[in-house]
Amino acid sequence: MLFQSLDFMAFLAAVLVLYWLLPRRGQNLLLLVSSAVFYGYIHPWFLLLLLTSTLCDYGCGRGIAERPRHRRLWLAISLCVNLGMLGTFKYFGFFVDNVQQLCDTLGVPLSGPTLGLVLPVGISFYTFQTLGYTIDVYRGKVKARRDLLDYAVFVTFFPQLVAGPIERASRFLPQVEAPRRLEPGRLRDGLLLMVQGFFVKLVIADNVGITADRVFQLSDPGWPLLWVGVLAFCVQIFADFSAYTDIARGTARLLGFELTENFRQPYLSRGPAEFWRRWHISLSYWMRDYIYVPLGGSRVTRRRWALNILVVFGISGLWHGASWNFVGWGLYWGLLIVAARALAGITPKAVQQAPLVQPLRLAATFALTCVGWLIFRESNTGWLLHYLTLSPFDSPPEDWVWAAYLLLHLLLCSSPLLVRAVARAVLIRWPLSADRALLLRLLVGCFYFTGILALRSMRGPDFIYFQF
Amino acid sequence: MEPTAQRTEAPRRPRQWLELAAVLLVVFALPALFRVPVTGPAAVAGYGDGTKPAGAPAFDLAPLQQLRAVQPDYLFVGNSNTTTRIDEQRLGELLDASVLVQATDGTTGVHWYLQLVNHLIPSGARPRTLFVLFRDDELLSFSQTRPELLLAWSQDFEPAFEAIHQADCTTRSMRMQAAADRGITALWPLAAVESDNLYPLADALTPAAILQGRPATVFHTDLNRRFGLGHMRPVASDGMTDLGKHSGSGDFAARARCSVLPHLLQAAADAELDLVLVRVQRRTWTGDDQEIEALVRQLADFAADHGVPLVDFSGDPEIPAEWYGTVDHIADEHRETWTELFHQRVFVEGLGR
């Protein structure tokens, strides 16, 4: 079920009314049933995978708790089942294609098996979430849960099931197990967050997405058109994904839950490492805790640390999709982080922290982020290389005109994001009284909702991160 | 701290409910008062009653006059997949006859039906064969693409459209969606606005140096041309769901009843025209889409029952992927070869005849 559908609105209204009439146990049962309806709405068979992952990690958690001598075995089972599912549904076709290509190159034609599997929505998110639980139980950071219902709600909670945030057991399971009270303040905040999310998705992401899609469909984009397209994608992917998170967090609040923050104004980062502390935070921290730290983290030699970073970001890229451009995108970020650290090592602290240098760092990080999004967006290596070799001096003059117009359109579409970023900075410095802050939020909410009514794009594609 | 927090919470709860009420009022109720005059493609709605709405463009006589002037031996009707496949001159040479392609981008079965009843038949031209080239379900959709052509090619009253309108062609989900849309628009009239309102805003903000003296409409026409099919990457077609995606879902009989197909076949039979339906292959065709293939088989049977053959080019081993240009079009340099293949299949081998 899509958040931006009327079906979801009707579904959520019905769930909310019932939910707040029930005791905690009933609420959790309702959450489980409604999550199954939400997830299996279009492809009911996807539920089998969700059920497998849930039962497997519940069982492995119990196994680790009750048979600690075989804890490694239980962990291995969890890893095999979850990564096996992910590998089969997400990476099998990619693997076969590459083996075939390799064999063709070597002059040994090979016809490999083709499964033609549909990628189940959200599989990358929920497998990582359940895997995180089992690893935490293995490490003794989280107690293995006895209650299967509570555990199933943790895995299947519908607001964040399809595109995160990837929740941690230590943070989310206590919320599932605690009684929840109907609090008007939470309802108010949840509604406002949802309205904001819908505005950012329908008005900003979907409108700028038209420019990005059109530019990347061109056979002969000039340099200015290409980079306006990349900028448009840069805004689109942030607006799209952060909007999903806002709607998810808002919906969760209506149900009495608090989800992890996933974005903290990532385009205001002043370095690649900082970008990843602000972008898709729940994935970044998952990677840090479950891959980077076990590899030794930063408590190793410099060379080994650089290798660790590349491994982590390579995996992160592959997590986004079974395509070489995603791997390249991950490695690109890994290289940037390694290079930034090397640069920091030879630059005096005073220079690094000088006020005049900060805007330069911000601009440089943003420019490098845009290059990253170009790698992310373009799955064809030939086209990617073509794009990277385009020169602004060889562009048709008319392309500068179209680019200028589309840039203006892009700035207009994304102006609410810019205003929001500035307003946040101002309000941190000069906070408003509670009454004025509420009034401001009401007016902004009214603006958002009016914008949804009058300015929403009629294009209506899915959220980009559904494909991961 | 905890007891204090609990003591202060009690009196604050009524205020929190008030704040929630304020959110509902200001955020959701206030926009219900906003109204703007709705201008849009209302003209198309006139077809719902089977009548041509007031203010519609004058009837387009040009195709009719062309038919009278050319008196073609072979006439081809379709959309851009026809113009990019049929080389009039080459086919004319091969057949030693006059060939005319009257195909228009973005059209579907509804338009082709109008061309038959309002252009070809009244023109008095009697081609030996009328070929209608289509993809998958294009003859079964009553879609509203190119509404301006629907208006310009139709008479004031189209009995076929009225018949389709009278048939119950809506699904339960369509009716539910329409009811929901009506409800939302009743609550928030602003929701009726269905246009890209950010473009006029951008136009208003655009400096004259960018527009270069062009009126906004001319500027947008030029801009659209830059992003037109002629400038697209071949692979871009994969993402062009509007142009490339067809649906085989639904019962054939129900879809035929809600389309112009029976009317098209009947009109051709009444005019004693030799009609041939030609299914062209989509670039992404693999034959794996069982729904579409079943639909086309039933379409062929239905047409055969009316004495109309269907030639299917899908899966033709002589058409390699390299022939394709943009979307499902055949690239310019391969049009002549495709035409020769068409001649071979239809006129030499007599496929579907």
Side-chain angles (χ1 to χ4, degrees):
Chain A
M1 201 179 287
L2 297 174
F3 276 167
Q4 69 273 37
S5 67
L6 289 174
D7 296 2
F8 176 72
M9 293 299 151
F11 163 83
L12 181 62
V15 168
L16 277 176
V17 170
L18 265 175
Y19 180 82
W20 288 114
L21 293 173
L22 293 169
R24 187 195 74 87
R25 192 84 185 148
Q27 284 178 336
N28 283 359
L29 192 61
L30 177 66
L31 280 180
L32 184 63
V33 172
S34 50
S35 296
V37 172
F38 177 87
Y39 191 65
Y41 194 64
I42 294 173
H43 295 293
W45 71 268
F46 283 180
L47 285 170
L48 284 175
L49 297 175
L50 190 58
L51 184 72
T52 306
S53 193
T54 307
L55 291 178
C56 166
D57 283 283
Y58 172 78
C60 290
R62 297 295 327 141
I64 291 169
E66 288 167 15
R67 291 188 176 81
R69 283 175 61 190
H70 299 111
R71 49 207 280 273
R72 275 174 184 272
L73 176 69
W74 291 111
L75 180 65
I77 292 172
S78 168
L79 286 167
C80 287
V81 170
N82 284 296
L83 297 180
M85 265 171 37
L86 205 55
T88 307
F89 285 90
K90 193 164 179 174
Y91 301 107
F92 183 76
F94 176 63
F95 174 75
V96 170
D97 285 350
N98 279 285
V99 169
Q100 274 179 342
Q101 275 180 16
L102 184 68
C103 290
D104 285 349
T105 312
L106 296 173
V108 189
L110 184 76
S111 61
T114 49
L115 297 181
L117 295 170
V118 177
L119 177 67
V121 175
I123 190 169
S124 308
F125 289 91
Y126 68 72
T127 48
F128 269 37
Q129 187 160 311
T130 52
L131 210 49
Y133 162 80
T134 310
I135 297 170
D136 283 349
V137 172
Y138 174 83
R139 288 173 174 173
K141 288 187 174 178
V142 165
K143 276 190 178 174
R145 263 35 183 201
R146 280 184 184 282
D147 193 317
L148 180 58
L149 175 62
D150 287 354
Y151 180 74
V153 170
F154 158 69
V155 180
T156 64
F157 187 57
F158 73 86
Q160 50 85 240
L161 174 61
V162 174
I166 302 167
E167 286 296 332
R168 296 301 180 83
S170 56
R171 190 174 184 278
F172 196 72
L173 267 169
Q175 294 187 59
V176 177
E177 291 159 345
R180 295 173 287 274
R181 253 184 5 157
L182 180 63
E183 289 181 32
R186 267 181 186 273
L187 293 182
R188 178 200 65 201
D189 292 348
L191 279 174
L192 288 173
L193 205 50
M194 284 180 77
V195 170
Q196 173 179 293
F198 280 115
F199 175 83
V200 173
K201 163 67 179 163
L202 299 173
V203 178
I204 300 178
D206 288 356
N207 272 312
V208 300
I210 294 170
T211 303
D213 288 351
R214 288 290 179 223
V215 167
F216 279 94
Q217 283 173 351
L218 285 177
S219 60
D220 54 348
W223 186 89
L225 264 185
L226 171 74
W227 286 101
V228 165
V230 174
L231 271 178
F233 183 67
C234 180
V235 174
Q236 184 197 6
I237 194 161
F238 168 64
D240 193 278
F241 195 17
S242 70
Y244 180 89
T245 308
D246 283 347
I247 299 169
R249 294 180 71 213
T251 310
R253 274 188 196 167
L254 297 184
L255 296 163
F257 290 87
E258 196 62 45
L259 296 182
T260 310
E261 197 180 7
N262 226 5
F263 296 91
R264 279 189 217 121
Q265 306 193 61
Y267 295 148
L268 296 181
S269 306
R270 284 169 295 178
E274 186 185 347
F275 177 83
W276 282 99
R277 289 194 293 272
R278 290 165 171 261
W279 176 272
H280 202 174
I281 298 166
S282 62
L283 177 69
S284 300
Y285 283 73
W286 197 98
M287 291 283 172
R288 182 196 66 185
D289 294 348
Y290 301 116
I291 301 178
Y292 176 68
V293 172
L295 283 174
S298 57
R299 295 177 179 178
V300 286
T301 62
R302 276 199 170 197
R303 193 171 292 180
R304 177 62 199 264
W305 170 81
L307 185 67
N308 289 349
I309 288 288
L310 290 176
V311 168
V312 168
F313 277 90
I315 292 172
S316 169
L318 196 60
W319 178 90
H320 282 80
S323 174
W324 286 115
N325 67 307
F326 290 122
V327 179
W329 173 73
L331 291 175
Y332 167 81
W333 274 107
L335 285 172
L336 285 184
I337 288 174
V338 172
R341 183 158 161 180
L343 191 65
I346 55 171
T347 312
K349 275 249 158 100
V351 175
Q352 283 181 46
Q353 289 167 355
L356 278 175
V357 175
Q358 304 315 310
L360 288 177
R361 289 178 59 184
L362 194 143
T365 307
F366 183 70
L368 291 169
T369 306
C370 287
V371 175
W373 288 134
L374 174 62
I375 301 169
F376 187 92
R377 180 65 172 74
E378 182 53 68
S379 56
N380 183 301
T381 315
W383 278 98
L384 178 62
L385 293 175
H386 169 68
Y387 288 152
L388 291 171
T389 52
L390 281 178
S391 158
F393 305 107
D394 300 336
S395 301
E398 276 283 275
D399 271 8
W400 288 97
V401 175
W402 309 134
Y405 176 79
L406 292 174
L407 183 64
L408 196 83
H409 182 257
L410 175 62
L411 285 172
L412 181 69
C413 290
S414 48
S415 56
L417 293 177
L418 299 171
V419 172
R420 192 176 71 181
V422 172
R424 272 187 188 163
V426 170
L427 289 174
I428 286 171
R429 186 165 288 191
W430 296 287
L432 293 175
S433 66
D435 285 348
R436 286 186 178 179
L438 179 66
L439 183 65
L440 181 67
R441 291 178 71 195
L442 289 180
L443 292 176
V444 171
C446 180
F447 168 78
Y448 283 157
F449 190 68
T450 309
I452 293 168
L453 294 174
L455 301 172
R456 71 193 182 284
S457 165
M458 301 310 292
R459 206 172 64 125
D462 289 349
F463 288 91
I464 292 176
Y465 262 67
F466 277 16
Q467 63 189 294
F468 308 136
Chain B
M1 288 303 287
E2 197 62 23
T4 313
Q6 280 175 351
R7 270 201 305 277
T8 54
E9 194 176 284
R12 285 178 64 190
R13 278 181 70 79
R15 186 191 152 92
Q16 285 189 356
W17 282 109
L18 273 176
E19 287 176 359
L20 178 62
V23 167
L24 295 175
L25 268 175
V26 176
V27 176
F28 299 105
L30 191 60
L33 304 175
F34 302 153
R35 282 163 201 276
V36 290
V38 177
T39 55
V44 180
Y47 280 117
D49 301 316
T51 56
K52 203 168 182 175
F59 184 76
D60 181 11
L61 280 168
L64 193 144
Q65 287 162 344
Q66 189 188 27
L67 284 161
R68 280 188 182 149
V70 177
Q71 295 286 335
D73 295 316
Y74 297 97
L75 176 65
F76 289 81
V77 165
N79 52 30
S80 56
N81 292 299
T82 306
T83 48
T84 57
R85 279 173 172 77
I86 301 295
D87 185 326
E88 282 176 351
Q89 197 184 339
R90 181 66 188 133
L91 191 58
E93 288 166 9
L94 290 167
L95 293 169
D96 193 20
S98 66
V99 174
L100 178 65
V101 175
Q102 277 198 334
T104 310
D105 296 357
T107 55
T108 63
V110 194
H111 302 85
W112 308 333
Y113 166 76
L114 290 175
Q115 284 181 268
L116 171 64
V117 296
N118 292 338
H119 293 156
L120 178 59
I121 294 173
S123 75
R126 283 297 174 269
R128 280 184 236 167
T129 308
L130 164 65
F131 291 98
V132 175
L133 273 63
F134 69 100
R135 283 178 304 178
D136 300 345
D137 67 341
E138 281 176 338
L139 280 167
L140 291 167
S141 63
F142 194 72
S143 73
Q144 300 280 3
T145 58
R146 304 298 303 268
E148 77 287 3
L149 290 179
L150 284 180
L151 294 168
W153 290 354
S154 64
Q155 303 290 341
D156 286 346
F157 183 80
E158 295 291 349
F161 290 4
E162 179 63 14
I164 292 166
H165 178 60
Q166 292 300 329
D168 183 15
C169 294
T170 52
T171 61
R172 191 162 160 267
S173 65
M174 283 163 71
R175 286 193 293 274
M176 283 175 67
Q177 181 68 44
D181 288 347
R182 278 196 301 275
I184 289 171
T185 313
L187 277 173
W188 296 287
L190 210 55
V193 179
E194 288 188 2
S195 61
D196 295 320
N197 288 303
L198 285 161
Y199 286 102
L201 275 174
D203 293 344
L205 294 170
T206 305
I210 293 178
L211 293 174
Q212 296 174 334
R214 284 175 282 201
T217 49
V218 176
F219 181 82
H220 281 285
T221 305
D222 293 344
L223 179 60
N224 287 339
R225 198 171 292 132
R226 178 67 182 91
F227 287 89
L229 289 175
H231 291 277
M232 276 195 190
R233 286 162 56 172
V235 289
S237 63
D238 297 344
M240 295 193 64
T241 49
D242 293 348
L243 289 170
K245 191 177 177 184
H246 294 269
S247 165
S249 62
D251 163 44
F252 173 80
R255 290 194 64 176
R257 188 165 53 89
C258 295
S259 74
V260 291
L261 179 68
H263 305 274
L264 180 86
L265 299 177
Q266 192 58 50
D270 291 347
E272 297 180 352
L273 273 167
D274 187 8
L275 172 66
V276 175
L277 304 179
V278 180
R279 183 196 185 193
V280 298
Q281 179 178 302
R282 278 191 290 133
R283 170 203 294 276
T284 51
W285 186 90
T286 58
D288 293 339
D289 191 334
Q290 296 304 318
E291 280 190 340
I292 281 282
E293 297 313 310
L295 194 82
V296 174
R297 276 198 298 277
Q298 292 177 82
L299 170 62
D301 293 344
F302 185 75
D305 290 345
H306 288 76
V308 173
L310 188 148
V311 185
D312 192 346
F313 276 82
S314 298
D316 194 310
E318 297 287 316
I319 305 174
E322 299 79 58
W323 282 15
Y324 286 94
T326 54
V327 202
D328 292 332
H329 302 158
I330 296 294
D332 285 350
E333 61 269 29
H334 297 294
R335 182 164 46 187
E336 191 177 317
T337 328
W338 199 94
T339 303
E340 288 165 358
L341 180 72
F342 175 82
H343 173 260
Q344 174 69 23
R345 294 280 185 266
V346 175
F347 292 95
V348 179
E349 296 170 14
L351 271 188
R353 303 301 301 267

